Amino acid sequence: MRPLRNVLTRLLVMLALVAAGLAVPAGAGAAVPDRWGFAFVDTTAGIPDPARQAGSWPPGFSVQVSPGGVGEVLVKFPQIALSTGGVVHVTAAAAAPIWCQAEKWWAAGADEIVAVRCHKYGGVPTFTPFSIVFSSSSGPLPAPKAFGYVFWDGSAVAWQYNSALAVNTVTPTSTGVWTVLLPGLGSSTYAGNIQVTAVNSSVPARCKAAAWSPSPGAQKIQVRCHDATATPLDTGWTLTYQRERAITGAAIPPKNFAYTFDNTPANPGPYAPVPPGVNYNSQSGVNTVQTAGTGERLVLFPSVGVLPDDVQVTAYGPGPEFCTLLTRWGTSGGAAVVRDVACWKAGVLVDQPSMVTYTSSL
């Protein structure tokens, strides 16, 4: 709970300064990412895709991976270790109904280690390439920009962050269902993007954003999780909400990032999702989505495609569907092309709403 105590302490200090008629120092509560890193893991040992990894570590270091158990990979983010805190998101890249989940993450000397395991639908562990991002943030952001995350460890909020310096809450409502409230990050209509990842080191688990209710005072989000098939499951998970900020954190963002919400997956497209707040592009491009076949969606992020970069995907809706990448995305000519987002139900491709977020490190 140390990040929560730090946030409350900063807030109390700033309120005391204001009450005393003193100016808040420019550096106080500045939005600085404590740590961040991403990678596309296409091997079980060595250095994964050098063109698609970046982080807040010093020059000269690289992400490295090593095999664990069956279907498990240990990802080492160099020089960004945290004793506690941060969130992880993982997206499988496979032309099959396979998802990946975070098992746990921890500091090993100066490095942050994340254990990831992937499963075929039904629960058989297997290796598949995956995209991964780790981030930890602190400090406030001015509206309309917003960023917040929660790590639910299976029984309580282990740690959280809110760029309005408010306290995020989680309320269990039934087996495998939780209501997340992000106060101070509200919007009058749908705006921003949500990513959710299961966290479980014991059993297969996958999680998603099931419902979303924005209001001027808060973002209200429902999380649902399922086991290896379609049974609701109580498990750990991470959730990140971003608005006009990259998935890597609340700091001064890279120049190139974007996100979209494919909220009408039956639309053959290409179409630009609405309202505009769910279809953000930092270079004022218009992101588009179009069909590539049943359950497959081609997503184009124009004007922001710059290596190194990262893509994460989350399914949206109340059922047991989940969404992945079919393969690694493409980056060329200033565009990022996700070919394709694939959504699955009971091992079969289905049209399903999904949220997709892209970021470059530059």
Side-chain angles (χ1 to χ4, degrees):
M1 298 301 289
R2 187 181 67 180
L4 175 56
R5 290 197 298 270
N6 289 346
V7 167
L8 292 174
T9 298
R10 286 192 298 270
L11 179 58
L12 290 172
V13 169
M14 286 189 288
L15 289 175
L17 288 170
V18 171
L22 300 175
V24 178
V32 178
D34 298 334
R35 305 285 191 273
W36 67 270
F38 61 69
F40 183 76
V41 177
D42 56 357
T43 181
T44 60
I47 298 175
D49 192 345
R52 287 177 171 81
Q53 58 168 272
S56 56
W57 48 80
F61 290 89
S62 298
V63 175
Q64 297 188 39
V65 299
S66 58
V70 178
E72 182 185 47
V73 176
L74 305 181
V75 183
K76 181 172 74 174
F77 290 109
Q79 304 294 304
I80 62 169
L82 290 171
S83 58
T84 59
V87 290
V88 173
H89 292 293
V90 187
T91 299
I98 299 172
W99 78 90
C100 299
Q101 65 197 62
E103 293 188 308
K104 57 183 178 178
W105 54 97
W106 68 95
D111 305 322
E112 188 76 15
I113 311 297
V114 183
V116 175
R117 193 184 298 266
C118 304
H119 297 85
K120 298 178 182 178
Y121 182 79
V124 176
T126 186
F127 172 74
T128 191
F130 59 85
S131 176
I132 181 171
V133 61
F134 170 84
S135 73
S136 174
S137 294
S138 63
L141 281 176
K145 301 171 179 63
F147 195 83
Y149 59 69
V150 172
F151 170 37
W152 176 262
D153 68 5
S155 59
V157 176
W159 43 79
Q160 59 94 50
Y161 165 74
N162 182 303
S163 64
L165 301 184
V167 178
N168 306 323
T169 61
V170 175
T171 304
T173 56
S174 61
T175 300
V177 183
W178 301 261
T179 298
V180 182
L181 192 68
L182 307 175
L185 307 186
S187 54
S188 58
T189 186
Y190 290 95
N193 191 268
I194 301 163
Q195 293 296 313
V196 180
T197 295
V199 179
N200 196 306
S201 58
S202 301
V203 299
R206 61 179 192 273
C207 300
K208 64 193 295 190
W212 180 16
S213 301
S215 68
Q219 300 292 338
K220 183 179 179 181
I221 302 164
Q222 185 184 83
V223 172
R224 285 183 180 260
C225 299
H226 295 84
D227 67 2
T229 54
T231 303
L233 176 71
D234 284 338
T235 183
W237 44 264
T238 58
L239 176 147
T240 296
Y241 172 77
Q242 60 181 126
R243 188 170 72 236
E244 300 184 27
R245 273 299 185 266
I247 191 68
T248 46
I252 297 173
K255 293 181 179 179
N256 301 285
F257 68 96
Y259 50 75
T260 195
F261 181 13
D262 181 14
N263 47 27
T264 56
N267 186 336
Y271 85 105
V274 293
V278 303
N279 197 45
Y280 182 82
N281 183 299
S282 66
Q283 295 296 328
S284 300
V286 179
N287 313 320
T288 58
V289 184
Q290 67 185 85
T291 187
T294 300
E296 299 180 358
R297 305 290 278 174
L298 188 156
V299 182
L300 176 65
F301 294 113
S303 306
V304 294
V306 181
L307 293 171
D309 54 5
D310 183 82
V311 174
Q312 297 293 324
V313 178
T314 292
Y316 179 85
E321 302 87 358
F322 64 97
C323 298
T324 66
L325 296 164
L326 274 184
T327 188
R328 191 188 69 187
W329 60 96
T331 311
S332 65
V337 182
V338 182
R339 189 188 299 270
D340 299 306
V341 172
C343 296
W344 307 87
K345 182 177 182 180
V348 177
L349 285 163
V350 294
D351 291 335
Q352 180 69 26
S354 64
M355 296 188 178
V356 189
T357 188
Y358 170 87
T359 189
S360 168
S361 67
L362 302 175

